[in-house]
Amino acid sequence: MTAPLVSIRGLKVAFANGAVRAVDGVDLDLARGEVVALIGESGSGKSVTLRSLLRLNPERRTQIEGAMSVDGRDVLAMGRRELAQYRGGVASMIFQEPLLALDPVYTLGQQIVESIRRHESVGAAEARARALALFERVRIPSPERRLDSYPHEMSGGMRQRAMIALALACRPKLLLADEPTTALDATVQIQILLLLRELQRDLGLSIIFVTHDIGAAVEVADRILVMYAGRIVEEGSARDLIRTPRHPYTIGLLKSRAHGALSKGSRLEAIPGSPPDLANLPPGCTFAPRCPLVIEACQAERPPPIPVGPGHRARCIRVNEAAAIAPTAEELLGV
Amino acid sequence: MATLVGSAREIEAAPAKATGYWTGVWRRLRRDPVAIGAAIVILLIVLMAAFAEYIAPADPYRGVSLRRLRPIGTPGYPLGSDELGRDMLSRLIYGARLSLFMGVTPVFIAFFLGSSIGIFAGYVGGRLNTVIMRTIDVFYAFPSVLLAVALSGALGAGFGNALLSLTVVFIPPIARVAEAVTTQVRSRDYVEAARASGAGALAIIRAHVLGNVLGPIFVYATSLISVSMILASGLSFLGLGTRPPEPEWGLMLNTLRTAIYVQPWVAALPGTMIFVTSISFNLLSDGLRSAMDVKQ
């Protein structure tokens, strides 16, 4: 196997002078052409991890430890010029709310042309031709006319397509997607996910995408990483993680999905309690206060990743007991 | 108005390359009858000032002491005459020059200086921002009339000093608006998106901050023109601005105030001109604000 495109080792990100540990020791490898989904609830550190890969967190107020390399470059050691070339050129990002992430006073064409010309010395006409090709690529109808539209003149799904086109403008190798479908209608969500999958296949992109929707993760990801309180608590192939979840938190997430076939009168299972205060983490397993399987040993020390299958690890000392409470296939399908 | 919008184009279109945006603004502005009316009034006043030599029926400086304080409609004096027997119409026409100049120039200079300071402070943020903005606040704490009077008084009466003190008066409010809008824009997702695609600080300021910030500041500055005209008139009224016998509306209002019981209509004329001009600038600025809102 060739060297991974992205390699993160022991990433720790802290805000507010180290008081808030948003990311607390994340290891992540991403092969070329692989799609990985980071899932977890708000504040679990998934977006911060993603932003760290582009060094977008405010430099003065953030402390970063660990090592990150993308395409053979050390992300944390880059100088200003190299960083500018890297952002957009090697790794680029699509955001949750395209209406906010696109500048309202410029047409979409102008924004894409500007991004291309920032990275490569091409003429305005050529940059525009490339923008047009990108719009066709992300299947925006009547692309020629849409290039001259302002963001507010388009529908949400169309804007997200345009945002993807903008992110792909400089032919990056790595696409970081921060909840790309959360702000969209359910019907549009699946179209965008399929588009991402298709682009990934055609362009050989690697994608890390952050979501709190397990359904979306299963749809596009090869591998799923579940984050809780700044740590990856379980990782494995999408298939393994759904069929045989081994961390109580993953199990809780799967059970708490509101499913279409939820029969009337049956209760939607929720995870009790709320996520821990990142400024005041418990010493042992961070999920222990909410865990149905908690024993005394859980509160003693941080559980190490325990292998439970090929490429499947869970940070839980009670993986075997957890297997018993995992939802059955019937429960998952809602039959 | 043509000159104003023209200058706005030069300021904004050059860095923004967004001609399409300005065509849209113009299209929306055209559908706003109040703003168009105000723009026409301003255009007429500007034309009147520019071609004063050709329009004015008489010499604004030559008075005939026998025909002092004639009422409106006197043959030869369509708008009456002032306390020195000078033709009011001619003086009002010539007065537009100085009054407009005193209204527009300080705001124009303050627009550049104030927005540079504000955008810089807003973009840098942190402690430097606090230092700059609190310094600005010190000036802002004085009522603008008092500050202008105090500065003019300290610098000495005169046209140049009046301009200077008015400029100083308008820098703080413009800087504050610029800082507030910049801080807001800086935390927007599209600025982060621009950073994520490799844009440096200068590129972000040039494209995203200026593009989104200059509009609101420009609109605010337009609304200050009327204030500037009134303040300039006030300075002249107090004898700190233009000196007699120059025709300037504020100064005319001052010298004619003794005649308020003799010829009240004539004495009110300069004030009417100030009122009409400043309200036109205000209405135009209102129209511009809604026309520049893209999401319509």
Side-chain angles (χ1 to χ4, degrees), chain A residues 51 54-58 60 83-85 87-89 91-93 95 97 99-106 110-111 114-115 117-119 150 152 163, chain B residues 15-22 124-127 186 188-190 192-200 203 206-212 294-296:
Chain A
R51 268 145 218 260
L54 283 175
R55 276 176 47 192
L56 282 177
N57 296 309
R60 266 176 287 171
L83 189 62
Q85 198 55 45
R87 287 173 173 170
S92 70
M93 188 152 173
F95 291 80
E97 177 47 89
L99 185 58
L100 301 176
L102 294 165
D103 193 322
V105 299
Y106 300 104
Q110 286 170 332
Q111 299 188 42
E114 191 201 317
S115 184
R117 297 189 72 188
R118 188 182 296 143
H119 286 270
Y150 289 93
H152 69 274
M163 180 87 223
Chain B
K17 282 178 283 180
T19 44
Y21 174 69
W22 288 101
V124 174
R127 221 165 266 161
R186 196 177 61 126
R188 289 280 160 84
D189 276 3
Y190 54 80
E192 183 160 10
R195 283 210 295 145
S197 74
R206 182 183 64 78
H208 300 287
V209 176
L210 283 186
N212 285 287
V294 192
K295 285 166 218 147
Q296 257 190 355

Side-chain angles (χ1 to χ4, degrees), chain A:
Chain A
M1 193 177 132
T2 51
L5 181 72
V6 179
S7 158
I8 301 179
R9 285 288 167 270
L11 178 71
K12 290 186 179 184
V13 183
F15 299 119
N17 293 324
V20 177
R21 280 181 287 165
V23 176
D24 195 9
V26 161
D27 298 312
L28 189 159
D29 280 316
L30 180 69
R32 282 167 208 275
E34 192 183 20
V35 180
V36 156
L38 275 180
I39 61 179
E41 41 198 313
S42 319
S44 60
K46 48 196 191 332
S47 292
V48 177
T49 306
L50 208 61
R51 268 145 218 260
S52 303
L53 273 169
L54 283 175
R55 276 176 47 192
L56 282 177
N57 296 309
E59 306 233 330
R60 266 176 287 171
R61 277 170 289 152
T62 316
Q63 288 151 0
I64 300 188
E65 278 174 54
M68 284 190 287
S69 77
V70 176
D71 199 25
R73 305 178 194 212
D74 184 348
V75 176
L76 294 177
M78 280 184 207
R80 195 137 53 104
R81 297 198 75 141
E82 203 187 345
L83 189 62
Q85 198 55 45
Y86 162 79
R87 287 173 173 170
V90 176
S92 70
M93 188 152 173
I94 55 182
F95 291 80
Q96 177 175 353
E97 177 47 89
L99 185 58
L100 301 176
L102 294 165
D103 193 322
V105 299
Y106 300 104
T107 63
L108 295 161
Q110 286 170 332
Q111 299 188 42
I112 296 179
V113 165
E114 191 201 317
S115 184
I116 293 176
R117 297 189 72 188
R118 188 182 296 143
H119 286 270
E120 295 163 46
S121 50
V122 296
E126 196 195 328
R128 173 145 176 126
R130 263 173 69 180
L132 185 63
L134 280 165
F135 262 38
E136 282 163 359
R137 173 99 244 178
V138 298
R139 293 219 215 84
I140 289 178
S142 47
E144 183 84 47
R145 207 157 47 84
R146 281 310 186 183
L147 275 181
D148 295 321
S149 301
Y150 289 93
H152 69 274
E153 296 170 337
M154 297 174 91
S155 69
M158 232 28 97
R159 275 198 289 266
Q160 193 57 283
R161 284 170 193 269
M163 180 87 223
I164 293 172
L166 180 60
L168 295 177
C170 300
R171 305 180 176 121
K173 294 175 181 162
L174 172 64
L175 188 62
L176 306 169
D178 191 358
E179 308 210 15
T181 58
T182 309
L184 303 175
D185 287 351
T187 47
V188 181
Q189 283 184 1
I190 191 74
Q191 294 172 7
I192 296 291
L193 292 175
L194 292 175
L195 175 69
L196 281 176
R197 186 84 236 195
E198 178 193 317
L199 289 170
Q200 179 272 327
R201 228 182 288 124
D202 295 357
L203 306 174
L205 283 171
S206 302
I207 301 179
I208 301 183
F209 97 101
V210 154
T211 178
H212 49 242
D213 178 0
I214 289 196
V218 174
E219 205 65 54
V220 288
D222 301 314
R223 214 143 52 86
I224 297 179
L225 281 70
V226 181
M227 280 191 85
Y228 186 77
R231 294 174 199 166
I232 291 174
V233 291
E234 183 167 6
E235 64 171 295
S237 68
R239 191 190 157 89
D240 287 351
L241 207 94
I242 300 304
R243 297 237 172 139
T244 56
R246 284 298 172 264
H247 194 286
Y249 177 62
T250 317
I251 293 167
L253 276 184
L254 285 169
K255 282 189 173 171
S256 63
R257 277 184 70 204
H259 206 283
L262 194 69
S263 58
K264 201 171 176 184
S266 68
R267 286 181 69 89
L268 175 66
E269 277 193 56
I271 305 175
S274 51
D277 178 6
L278 294 175
N280 190 15
L281 288 174
C285 173
T286 45
F287 187 61
R290 301 171 75 187
C291 183
L293 301 174
V294 63
I295 52 170
E296 231 167 85
C298 293
Q299 275 137 5
E301 61 177 17
R302 290 180 57 167
I306 292 167
V308 288
H312 186 179
R313 285 186 293 272
R315 273 183 190 271
C316 179
I317 53 175
R318 307 203 73 199
V319 280
N320 296 324
E321 289 79 357
I325 62 161
T328 59
E330 289 82 45
E331 275 176 325
L332 275 182
L333 295 171
V335 188

Side-chain angles (χ1 to χ4, degrees), chain B residues 12-255:
Chain B
E12 307 206 26
K17 282 178 283 180
T19 44
Y21 174 69
W22 288 101
T23 6
V25 169
W26 172 232
R27 202 189 59 232
R28 284 187 292 270
L29 194 63
R30 254 185 342 206
R31 284 194 304 233
D32 182 351
V34 180
I36 287 301
I40 290 172
V41 171
I42 293 171
L43 184 68
L44 287 178
I45 294 171
V46 169
L47 287 176
M48 188 173 92
F51 298 105
E53 286 96 340
Y54 305 101
I55 304 171
D59 183 344
Y61 296 103
R62 214 190 59 213
V64 181
S65 42
L66 282 176
R67 298 181 190 145
R68 295 188 326 191
L69 292 172
R70 289 295 156 98
I72 295 173
T74 311
Y77 295 96
L79 291 179
S81 65
D82 71 0
E83 77 288 351
L84 295 176
R86 296 174 294 199
D87 180 35
M88 272 306 277
L89 178 60
S90 307
R91 283 184 70 74
L92 285 174
I93 291 173
Y94 272 91
R97 288 184 165 177
L98 272 179
S99 290
L100 272 185
F101 188 77
M102 301 265 296
V104 175
T105 321
V107 174
F108 197 69
I109 301 172
F111 174 71
F112 280 101
L113 295 179
S115 43
S116 311
I117 296 172
I119 290 172
F120 176 75
Y123 192 78
V124 174
R127 221 165 266 161
L128 194 54
N129 177 1
T130 314
V131 171
I132 295 174
M133 293 320 291
R134 290 300 84 78
T135 315
I136 290 282
D137 281 352
V138 171
F139 286 92
Y140 201 55
F142 295 101
S144 49
V145 184
L146 272 189
L147 186 61
V149 169
L151 280 170
S152 286
L155 293 167
F159 182 66
N161 287 342
L163 277 185
L164 184 66
S165 56
L166 285 175
T167 308
V168 173
V169 167
F170 289 123
I171 289 176
I174 291 179
R176 286 197 65 158
V177 171
E179 190 259 356
V181 186
T182 308
T183 312
Q184 210 177 43
V185 165
R186 196 177 61 126
S187 57
R188 289 280 160 84
D189 276 3
Y190 54 80
V191 170
E192 183 160 10
R195 283 210 295 145
S197 74
L202 271 181
I204 289 177
I205 290 190
R206 182 183 64 78
H208 300 287
V209 176
L210 283 186
N212 285 287
V213 159
L214 279 186
I217 308 177
F218 176 72
V219 169
Y220 178 66
T222 323
S223 75
L224 284 180
I225 290 179
S226 60
V227 182
S228 175
M229 282 193 55
I230 293 167
L231 277 184
S233 309
L235 287 181
S236 303
F237 182 87
L238 292 172
L240 289 170
T242 334
R243 306 214 176 161
E246 292 300 325
E248 199 267 342
W249 296 339
L251 187 64
M252 289 161 71
L253 197 62
N254 178 18
T255 50

Side-chain angles (χ1 to χ4, degrees), chain B residues 257-273:
Chain B
R257 79 182 192 282
T258 47
I260 195 101
Y261 295 113
V262 190
Q263 284 299 347
W265 294 109
V266 174
L269 282 174
T272 313
M273 291 307 292

